[in-house]
Amino acid sequence: MLSHDVGATSPPLLDETIGDNLARTTEAFGDREALVECATGRRWTYREFHEATRRIATALIERGTKPGDRIGIWSPNSAEWTMIQYATAQVGAILVNINPAYRVDELEYALNKASMCTVFAAPEFKSSDYVAMLGNVRGRCPALSDVIIIGWEPWQEIADTAVDSDALARVQAELKPGDPINIQYTSGTTGFPKGATLTHTNILNNGYFVGELLEYTEQDRVCIPVPFYHCFGMVMGNLACTTHGAAMVIPAPGFDPEASLKAVAAQRCTSLYGVPTMFIAELGLPDFDSFDLSTLRTGIMAGSTCPEQVMRNVIDRMHMSGVAICYGMTETSPVSTQTLPSDSLTRRVTTVGRVGPHLEVQVVDENGAQVERGTPGELCTRGYSVMLGYWDDPDKTDEAIDADGWMHTGDIGVMDDDGYLAITGRIKDMVIRGGENIYPREIEEFLYSHPDIVDAQVVGVTDEKYGEELMVWLRVKEGAEVPTPESLRAFCAGRIAHNKIPRYVQVIDEFPMTVTGKVRKVELRERGEELLGDS
């Protein structure tokens, strides 16, 4: 049997814009809570939230915003971020998510690449002075005519604008579900980031079906500590909620493990999101047992494979019996595969689930031919979720999406007989040692069984004899003895093949991460090369 699978076709795709969908949800659940911002204590019902977004949308029209205009947002998570997300959708403007960690050069590149005419920005966050950086680059960004600092007087005027229902209706009548509505810059580790261009259909449906598979209803309250800047927050979080009448709970502007658990307890959340490192941090809090997490039933873990013991703790100690593993990429809006609440623990720690509704996946060899099930190859996705393309970059688009509409993920996948997919690594992360392909994920999973290892990341470093050799970067438990190459080799001996045992061992306090919670293996590889060069 070949590695190809097609998702369910029921329920049907939502054939509407994000604005129309929010209006429909508001009509059904107007008095239910839509949004809670824990840092300020502010909260909105769906009727109040919809009204707030319509005020901003009206202000945008009055300021001359046209469908297709690019409007940037540069801010950590906040209620205003969410409102701007839905307001821009209602007027057909393309919201451009600017990474909160960007510095001046990256900001200037993003502003000019998308020709943003307006930017909404927080005044500052952590070590980033957004006002100063925007002032620095503004003169070099010819399309940028308006900078609105959230919380300052011009923002308040926008937020207080009287709703013009007729003007909004005229604009919304012209919008189509297939219109571009969002540009997300991929967190590339090399070269300039690419702007994945997504439509109403792309992200509205992806959020809806993620919520459907989690069995969301208007009774759910979702704690969202992951960044809105990325699909995880704004699609799997916000849009999964608003398509079901569920409540969006913002625990803090950035990830804070204590704030996340406080939010779950205080707001009686039923669902919690995070990448594995976030759950590890929450479980590791000294006073973890003091938080009442009994209302949790589900959630999402994504970004990387979850170690089995972490998953067991999330299910047993956090009460998240229905927690799902999701897999995807920005270019596919993002989720392509997902586990179900009914899936076994083994399925949830060894696979990323099966293909989602109205989507299609295949695993192919280097020639593009589907491989037999159980055989590794490149995972490809096709269907409603695939982006329109990279903004203003047709060559890169053609490299990613083939003539038959398949998005090539660059991930190595293996499909089993039941259609469940395991991701064994990135094609570019694969280590070729002495002519043999080695998948770092397999070694990392094994190393999680070491009693003193919290997390492990394996990379390839240059080696004269073998071409590449294995180096592992470890995070170890506080107070534990630091593993040496010799002690790690003894632990691995007889349990994994000798050629998979890392030759070099480095210990690190924190891994370099992208803003979406993925480990920057390129940086670890570079550091490893430097260390070996210095020795």
Side-chain angles (χ1 to χ4, degrees), residues 294-467:
S294 60
T295 54
L296 285 175
R297 67 169 182 86
T298 190
I300 295 175
M301 202 178 301
S304 61
T305 305
C306 178
E308 180 173 347
Q309 191 54 53
V310 175
M311 178 63 84
R312 287 187 184 279
N313 286 334
V314 166
I315 292 172
D316 296 339
R317 300 183 64 199
M318 301 181 84
H319 310 286
M320 294 169 60
S321 59
V323 66
I325 297 293
C326 290
Y327 162 82
M329 59 193 307
T330 305
E331 291 88 340
T332 55
S333 304
V335 176
S336 297
T337 70
Q338 185 172 340
T339 61
L340 301 176
S342 57
D343 283 332
S344 67
L345 176 70
T346 300
R347 292 284 199 203
R348 284 186 270 184
V349 297
T350 61
T351 81
V352 291
R354 294 187 61 186
V355 63
H358 300 279
L359 295 174
E360 191 177 359
V361 292
Q362 64 175 2
V363 181
V364 300
D365 63 20
E366 60 271 17
N367 298 315
Q370 290 175 1
V371 300
E372 290 289 332
R373 295 204 177 188
T375 304
E378 183 179 18
L379 178 59
C380 302
T381 301
R382 183 165 69 178
Y384 79 83
S385 72
V386 175
M387 66 176 180
L388 287 179
Y390 293 118
W391 183 265
D392 193 28
D393 205 336
D395 291 341
K396 292 292 185 185
T397 300
D398 289 343
E399 288 176 19
I401 305 173
D402 67 26
D404 294 321
W406 289 103
M407 176 74 208
H408 288 251
T409 67
D411 285 322
I412 302 166
V414 182
M415 184 182 292
D416 70 14
D417 289 342
D418 296 318
Y420 286 83
L421 280 154
I423 303 300
T424 58
R426 295 284 293 165
I427 290 174
K428 65 184 181 184
D429 288 341
M430 184 176 70
V431 179
I432 304 176
R433 180 187 182 277
E436 291 188 77
N437 293 348
I438 297 176
Y439 303 108
R441 190 73 230 165
E442 179 186 356
I443 305 167
E444 291 160 1
E445 282 295 316
F446 169 73
L447 292 176
Y448 287 136
S449 67
H450 191 292
D452 294 332
I453 292 175
V454 174
D455 206 347
Q457 298 292 326
V458 174
V459 297
V461 290
T462 303
D463 183 78
E464 286 188 12
K465 182 177 180 181
Y466 293 105

Side-chain angles (χ1 to χ4, degrees), residues 96-398:
V96 186
N97 302 4
I98 305 173
N99 185 330
Y102 273 1
R103 292 299 192 236
V104 169
D105 288 355
E106 298 157 314
L107 172 67
E108 183 178 341
Y109 173 81
L111 289 169
N112 284 327
K113 183 66 175 177
S115 298
M116 292 181 231
C117 59
T118 301
V119 170
F120 289 96
E124 60 187 6
F125 180 60
K126 294 183 177 177
S127 63
S128 295
D129 184 338
Y130 295 141
V131 175
M133 283 191 275
L134 281 162
N136 185 312
V137 304
R138 192 166 183 177
R140 301 191 296 277
C141 300
L144 184 59
S145 58
D146 211 359
V147 172
I148 300 155
I149 305 303
I150 296 168
W152 291 16
E153 188 174 337
W155 163 257
Q156 205 52 54
E157 291 172 3
I158 288 172
D160 292 341
T161 299
V163 172
D164 186 334
S165 297
D166 292 339
L168 281 172
R170 283 194 298 272
V171 171
Q172 289 176 355
E174 299 299 315
L175 306 182
K176 299 179 179 60
D179 292 342
I181 201 66
N182 185 216
I183 293 174
Q184 299 204 25
Y185 285 103
T186 58
S187 52
T189 52
T190 57
F192 289 111
K194 303 182 291 290
T197 307
L198 305 170
T199 67
H200 294 271
T201 294
N202 285 152
I203 61 176
L204 178 67
N205 279 285
N206 207 261
Y208 171 64
F209 284 111
V210 164
E212 283 290 287
L213 295 181
L214 290 170
E215 301 175 353
Y216 279 171
T217 71
E218 71 277 9
Q219 304 291 330
D220 280 295
R221 300 173 66 78
V222 184
C223 182
I224 312 172
V226 294
F228 292 157
Y229 140 83
H230 184 253
C231 278
F232 201 168
M234 70 168 286
V235 178
M236 299 155 73
N238 295 344
L239 283 164
C241 288
T242 59
T243 51
H244 291 86
M248 302 168 279
V249 177
I250 307 172
F255 174 63
D256 178 319
E258 184 177 16
S260 297
L261 297 191
K262 279 184 176 177
V264 169
Q267 304 303 324
R268 315 308 290 152
C269 293
T270 59
S271 178
L272 172 63
Y273 289 5
V275 298
T277 53
M278 290 181 175
F279 285 101
I280 290 169
E282 289 158 357
L283 289 159
L285 289 172
D287 57 346
F288 173 84
D289 291 325
S290 69
F291 296 96
D292 178 5
L293 309 180
S294 60
T295 54
L296 285 175
R297 67 169 182 86
T298 190
I300 295 175
M301 202 178 301
S304 61
T305 305
C306 178
E308 180 173 347
Q309 191 54 53
V310 175
M311 178 63 84
R312 287 187 184 279
N313 286 334
V314 166
I315 292 172
D316 296 339
R317 300 183 64 199
M318 301 181 84
H319 310 286
M320 294 169 60
S321 59
V323 66
I325 297 293
C326 290
Y327 162 82
M329 59 193 307
T330 305
E331 291 88 340
T332 55
S333 304
V335 176
S336 297
T337 70
Q338 185 172 340
T339 61
L340 301 176
S342 57
D343 283 332
S344 67
L345 176 70
T346 300
R347 292 284 199 203
R348 284 186 270 184
V349 297
T350 61
T351 81
V352 291
R354 294 187 61 186
V355 63
H358 300 279
L359 295 174
E360 191 177 359
V361 292
Q362 64 175 2
V363 181
V364 300
D365 63 20
E366 60 271 17
N367 298 315
Q370 290 175 1
V371 300
E372 290 289 332
R373 295 204 177 188
T375 304
E378 183 179 18
L379 178 59
C380 302
T381 301
R382 183 165 69 178
Y384 79 83
S385 72
V386 175
M387 66 176 180
L388 287 179
Y390 293 118
W391 183 265
D392 193 28
D393 205 336
D395 291 341
K396 292 292 185 185
T397 300
D398 289 343

